[in-house]
Amino acid sequence: MKLSIERAALLKSLAHVQSVVERRNTIPILSNVLLRADQGKLSMTATDMDLEIVDSVDAEVSKPGATTTPAHTLYDIVRKLAEPKVELDLSAEGTSLTVRAGRSQFKLGCLPTEDFPQMSAASMKQEFELTSAELKSLIDRARFA
């Protein structure tokens, strides 16, 4: 996997998905975000096994691929970068992800994508519809909690 992406777009998506990741986790893979680059998009997935957040952003993908890397560490690195472009490059072995921006370079450890839990939306068979007024009423009733 190798790609180049706008720092602001990456930061916005990372902020969104890393919010579900707990800082202290007994299962190491749950501290990671799944990065999947393909066809001009970078897709990011994070989960705590109860909730899954998926976000995607446009990127210049020169080599498609996927990996998982620590979500909070990647977010903190991207947040502190000054350059407008960020490059992500997965090592040939798939064990480390290099984050480059200008003269800055960071190597993050990676875990196999096969270990990342897959939550299937297809297994959720219940559906319902609410009007905006009904949803507002429900939120107002539970707001105190």
Side-chain angles (χ1 to χ4, degrees), residues 23-58:
R23 287 228 179 244
R24 296 183 185 183
N25 225 315
T26 56
I27 305 170
I29 196 72
L30 294 181
S31 297
N32 285 12
V33 60
L34 173 66
L35 303 173
R36 190 175 308 275
D38 194 22
Q39 298 177 356
K41 291 263 186 211
L42 175 63
S43 172
M44 292 172 258
T45 306
T47 184
D48 65 359
M49 296 301 288
D50 290 325
L51 179 66
E52 179 181 59
I53 297 180
V54 180
D55 201 349
S56 65
V57 64
D58 291 333

Side-chain angles (χ1 to χ4, degrees), residues 56-91:
S56 65
V57 64
D58 291 333
E60 298 168 22
V61 179
S62 54
K63 189 164 122 184
T67 191
T68 70
T69 195
H72 292 294
T73 306
L74 181 59
Y75 175 73
D76 289 340
I77 288 170
V78 173
R79 186 171 52 99
K80 293 177 182 175
L81 291 173
E83 299 294 321
K85 279 277 195 191
V86 177
E87 292 179 19
L88 302 177
D89 189 7
L90 183 63
S91 67

Side-chain angles (χ1 to χ4, degrees), residues 66-120:
T67 191
T68 70
T69 195
H72 292 294
T73 306
L74 181 59
Y75 175 73
D76 289 340
I77 288 170
V78 173
R79 186 171 52 99
K80 293 177 182 175
L81 291 173
E83 299 294 321
K85 279 277 195 191
V86 177
E87 292 179 19
L88 302 177
D89 189 7
L90 183 63
S91 67
E93 307 83 40
T95 57
S96 67
L97 179 73
T98 304
V99 180
R100 274 190 218 97
R103 294 185 302 154
S104 302
Q105 179 173 318
F106 303 88
K107 278 195 189 253
L108 300 174
C110 298
L111 293 174
T113 57
E114 301 82 41
D115 293 349
F116 197 83
Q118 298 297 317
M119 296 178 69
S120 176

